[in-house]
Amino acid sequence: MDSPAGPVPGRTAVPLDDIDRQILARLLKDARQSVRALAEQVHISRANAYTRVGRLLAEGVITGFTAQLNPKRAGLGTSAYITLSTEQAAWRDISRELREIPYVEHVSLVSGDFDVLVLVRAPDNEALRSVVLESIQGVPGVRSTRTWLVFDEVRGRGADWTG
């Protein structure tokens, strides 16, 4: 039975059936495919595929459709993880500020020896230096930073949505 449109209060995970998982797996491989092609691949009607994709969007399971870039080929040859130690209870303000800094790709509140982990992809070391020393360290509530240069990256396989 399909859940009603919209998230259920108090729940973070949305119930997904096998068809939903197949749709997610196929969209993760190629989000540009038509709904008609998607419906054929998972053996449902086009109307059902539209309804399911719409529900997955409305429930926040699918948050958007994007292109995946090769950062180096796109001119962002320097990547680094920046760890931040912050003032307690400053997360909301800090995260809001960090999202607005050019070249900041991802921001996470974490546990452990530091408070925030930031992925920065910049054109070169000079731009990275500016992002870290001027922009990130200039955010109110950031006490200290530590920079970890990325030498190479590979993508993991992620979740298995088909099984």
Side-chain angles (χ1 to χ4, degrees):
M1 178 175 179
D2 288 342
S3 64
V8 177
R11 288 179 105 177
T12 57
V14 173
L16 302 173
D17 64 16
D18 288 340
I19 299 294
D20 292 334
R21 285 189 283 281
Q22 287 180 47
I23 288 170
L24 293 174
R26 283 169 171 72
L27 288 176
L28 285 168
K29 285 182 183 173
D30 180 10
R32 292 180 48 172
Q33 66 184 297
S34 69
V35 173
R36 178 180 174 198
L38 182 64
E40 289 173 2
Q41 290 174 27
V42 298
H43 309 292
I44 59 175
S45 71
R46 191 168 54 185
N48 190 355
Y50 271 112
T51 299
R52 285 175 176 268
V53 170
R55 180 181 49 78
L56 292 168
L57 281 161
E59 291 179 340
V61 175
I62 298 174
T63 59
F65 301 90
T66 63
Q68 293 181 359
L69 300 179
N70 177 325
K72 290 179 184 175
R73 301 280 296 175
L76 302 174
T78 301
S79 295
Y81 286 99
I82 318 300
T83 61
L84 284 64
S85 292
T86 65
E87 293 175 5
Q88 201 167 15
W91 162 246
R92 283 189 175 85
D93 294 335
I94 290 171
S95 68
R96 192 173 19 261
E97 295 270 342
L98 291 174
R99 282 185 291 221
E100 299 303 318
I101 297 174
Y103 305 122
V104 168
E105 186 168 307
H106 186 85
V107 178
S108 297
L109 176 65
V110 297
S111 65
D113 295 337
F114 50 88
D115 305 306
V116 178
L117 181 65
V118 179
L119 173 60
V120 175
R121 296 192 189 278
D124 51 39
N125 286 349
E126 186 177 338
L128 175 64
R129 178 187 180 283
S130 175
V131 168
V132 174
L133 298 181
E134 297 170 21
S135 299
I136 293 176
Q137 289 183 358
V139 172
V142 172
R143 292 190 305 200
S144 65
T145 63
R146 191 166 186 189
T147 301
W148 305 86
L149 285 176
V150 174
F151 295 128
D152 197 9
E153 299 180 70
V154 295
R155 289 187 64 87
R157 67 183 264 190
D160 182 5
W161 290 103
T162 59

